[in-house]
Amino acid sequence: MTAFDLSRRFVAETLGTGLLVATVVGSGIMAETLTHDVALALLGNTLATGAMLVVLITMLGPISGAHFNPAVSLVFCLNRALPARDLPAYLAAQFAGGIAGTIAAHLMFALPVLEVATKLRAGPAQWFSEAVATFGLVAVILAGLRFERRAVPWLVGLYITAAYWFTASTSFANPAVAVARSLTDTFSGIRPADLPGFIVAELLGALIALAMMGWLLRPETIEHPQALKAQPFKGKP
């Protein structure tokens, strides 16, 4: 396996998070422009985001691991898959990339470079939704890496596509994306005042998933008595 230096991984995380946020924000703007049907607009937003995740993880995963998410990077750091010394660079790349993605989406649709979002997203149901969404995302990633590494891009893309619809919060599941979405007053926006609840819930969900999957994915080797009986006798009579 080829190892990439931190500068290349930093650029990959910045680029990936930027393109992800540009997709989330841009597809939301496009959907809102084309239809007044909120369900149809959300479907367009969902499909674009899920598809882009498959592309980005496939393309950039071999370089940086394709975290694009501070909660995921924290989990990888805690389970020693990401060196602690690299975590600050990953977080900086993700937050910077996310903000750049919002700027890119606004420029493509001739909107102000940055705005302050006014969309209300608060309350226990929203916070619980974010904890569940992030728990599921981290669980999917860890189990996918354990059992079917090549399928991870599709697993993540499909999971987020589903989570848009089964969570009340439409599954942000990503602190960097949440911050970036607070800077757009469009379909995908979130009020800055609502960010702390979302971020705390996301980190909590990620940590619970790390603890549970760490136990669930740790097999014990137990030789069944019936298997012993089935073994042919190889000793001397």
Side-chain angles (χ1 to χ4, degrees), residues 57-84:
I57 296 170
T58 302
M59 180 176 68
L60 299 174
I63 300 174
S64 68
H67 299 182
F68 314 142
N69 187 332
V72 172
S73 294
L74 176 62
V75 164
F76 275 56
C77 181
L78 291 174
N79 70 8
R80 300 182 181 178
L82 177 70

Side-chain angles (χ1 to χ4, degrees), residues 85-172:
R85 66 179 180 275
D86 294 348
L87 181 60
Y90 270 63
L91 299 183
Q94 291 154 4
F95 282 105
I99 294 169
T102 295
I103 292 172
H106 281 191
L107 292 176
M108 287 190 288
F109 287 92
L111 295 176
V113 174
L114 291 174
E115 302 170 322
V116 177
T118 57
K119 184 167 289 189
L120 172 65
R121 297 182 191 265
Q126 294 278 314
W127 302 329
F128 181 64
S129 293
E130 278 305 288
V132 170
T134 314
F135 171 89
L137 175 62
V138 171
V140 164
I141 292 170
L142 294 178
L145 290 173
R146 174 72 171 78
F147 298 120
E148 198 62 53
R149 183 176 291 267
R150 281 193 240 176
V152 168
W154 287 97
L155 294 174
V156 172
L158 289 170
Y159 173 78
I160 291 298
T161 299
Y164 256 83
W165 287 86
F166 80 77
T167 62
S169 61
T170 65
S171 183
F172 285 42

Side-chain angles (χ1 to χ4, degrees), residues 183-231:
L183 299 173
T184 180
D185 197 23
T186 60
F187 183 78
S188 60
I190 173 175
R191 293 188 314 172
D194 299 332
L195 283 177
F198 266 58
I199 292 173
V200 169
E202 289 157 1
L203 294 177
L204 183 60
L207 294 175
I208 294 172
L210 174 62
M212 179 174 287
M213 298 307 288
W215 171 79
L216 188 63
L217 299 176
R218 190 183 305 118
E220 288 187 32
T221 303
I222 301 175
E223 197 162 8
H224 198 279
Q226 294 300 323
L228 291 175
K229 292 180 182 178
Q231 294 296 321

